[in-house]
Amino acid sequence: MSILEKLYEGKAKVLYRTENPEILLAHYKDDATAFNAQKRGTITRKGEMNCAIAAHLFQQLAAAGIPTHFIDHEGAQMWVRALKILPLEVVVRNIAAGSLCQQTGLTLGTPLKQPLVEFYYKNDALGDPLLTDDRLLLLQLATPAQVEQLKSMARRINNVLQPFFQQCGIILVDFKLEFGLDHSQALVLGDEISPDTCRLWNQSDTDPKRRVMDKDRFRNDLGSVETAYQQVLERVLAHPIQSIQ
Ligand code: ADP
Ligand code: MG
């Protein structure tokens, strides 16, 4: 399929139109950013690694009946269904880390009795602030029915991904999702699921620095970033897609 013009360049991916208006091509970049793009760098081979990890996870989610935008992938390129992305970051947390610790005083690593689902406003200029349900409705970022559906889909996704990563010897601490609407206005999981968008800890290591297998290695200058992403890729690909009903 021939590539047409560039539609949008984000921090981690470039989206291109294709000759089919319902299909976009996402090129995963090696560029890495953190702290709302105040910190920038490159992670060698990140694009192809994240693309392969995300492709595998999207296929595992599809096998569990969750609608995703994934169509196909090759190298650092992923063909996806064109969606109208909601300006929301849906975050699921199993263990306290990051801004949850900073904003609540919970100790890093505290297991949460039940997964926490949070919405953030996807707006770089405002610093992606945490939303309440009422603010979300006030800003008309989603309808009340969509809010409930997003929460339920986020929990279902966690119920697939958490055991999947556990089989890989990886603890799924938290992750960020983006959803969009397809041509029939149905909610579909979009964007990516990768070490850029998840906190992943090596199950067999309790050292708070050594266990980190995600973008926190880049954020916090922990070193061996490529090696960590490569390990996630190898472990994920070693676990074939299972049909889950
Ligand atoms: P950002 O800089 O916002 O993190 P990325 O580089 O990660 O952006 O991704 C590029 C853009 O692609 C984002 O705005 C994301 O919401 C959007 N996007 C992801 N999946 C789809 C899709 N299926 N259809 C349309 N846009 C999408
Ligand atoms: Mg992104």
Side-chain angles (χ1 to χ4, degrees):
M1 191 176 285
S2 64
I3 294 169
L4 301 175
E5 93 236 52
K6 190 192 275 193
L7 189 64
Y8 178 74
E9 175 151 11
K11 298 186 290 290
K13 298 180 289 296
V14 187
L15 291 193
Y16 297 93
R17 279 190 222 278
T18 68
E19 58 205 16
N20 182 339
E22 293 189 3
I23 298 178
L24 300 178
L25 177 63
H27 175 82
Y28 282 64
K29 302 194 286 183
D30 290 350
D31 299 357
T33 63
F35 310 116
N36 201 7
Q38 288 172 57
K39 177 171 177 149
R40 289 172 185 276
T42 352
I43 301 172
T44 310
R45 293 185 53 248
K46 175 170 86 75
E48 58 185 279
M49 293 193 284
N50 277 2
C51 185
I53 294 166
H56 197 84
L57 297 175
F58 280 136
Q59 290 174 89
Q60 180 57 78
L61 290 168
I66 291 153
T68 87
H69 69 163
F70 176 80
I71 298 172
D72 200 0
H73 73 114
E74 193 186 308
Q77 299 187 326
M78 186 183 287
W79 286 267
V80 299
R81 288 159 65 190
L83 301 176
K84 189 170 176 292
I85 295 283
L86 303 177
L88 289 174
E89 301 202 333
V90 183
V91 172
V92 183
R93 302 175 182 276
N94 296 306
I95 292 177
S99 64
L100 179 64
C101 295
Q102 284 155 21
Q103 294 171 5
T104 64
L106 278 171
T107 305
L108 174 70
T110 308
L112 307 182
K113 286 208 180 70
Q114 54 178 24
L116 182 64
V117 179
E118 300 179 320
F119 294 98
Y120 293 80
Y121 190 11
K122 190 172 159 55
N123 184 320
D124 283 341
L126 296 176
D128 298 336
L130 176 66
L131 289 167
T132 62
D133 278 18
D134 285 347
R135 284 188 184 187
L136 199 159
L137 298 176
L138 170 78
L139 298 175
Q140 296 185 308
L141 302 175
T143 66
Q146 285 171 340
V147 172
E148 291 316 306
Q149 212 191 328
L150 287 167
K151 287 180 186 171
S152 136
M153 286 173 83
R155 288 205 177 87
R156 280 173 61 207
I157 291 166
N158 188 46
N159 287 340
V160 175
L161 294 184
Q162 197 190 25
F164 178 85
F165 276 113
Q166 194 172 15
Q167 283 177 30
C168 301
I170 294 172
I171 301 171
L172 179 59
V173 175
D174 58 35
F175 56 99
K176 183 270 295 181
L177 301 169
E178 291 181 28
F179 293 87
L181 298 170
D182 68 8
H183 51 78
S184 67
Q185 304 301 304
L187 278 173
V188 174
L189 177 64
D191 205 50
E192 67 177 279
I193 308 174
S194 72
D196 273 14
T197 64
C198 301
R199 282 201 174 84
L200 303 169
W201 292 351
N202 190 351
Q203 236 162 43
S204 61
D205 203 336
T206 52
D207 181 86
K209 289 184 176 162
R210 267 197 329 248
R211 69 184 173 192
V212 175
M213 303 180 81
D214 57 66
K215 200 166 83 174
D216 275 349
R217 295 208 76 80
F218 168 77
R219 276 191 197 97
N220 303 325
D221 297 315
L222 300 179
S224 309
V225 188
E226 291 92 334
T227 315
Y229 278 54
Q230 178 66 36
Q231 276 193 22
V232 173
L233 173 64
E234 284 170 15
R235 292 197 201 182
V236 163
L237 292 189
H239 290 80
I241 314 294
Q242 293 169 18
S243 72
I244 309 170
Q245 280 328 310

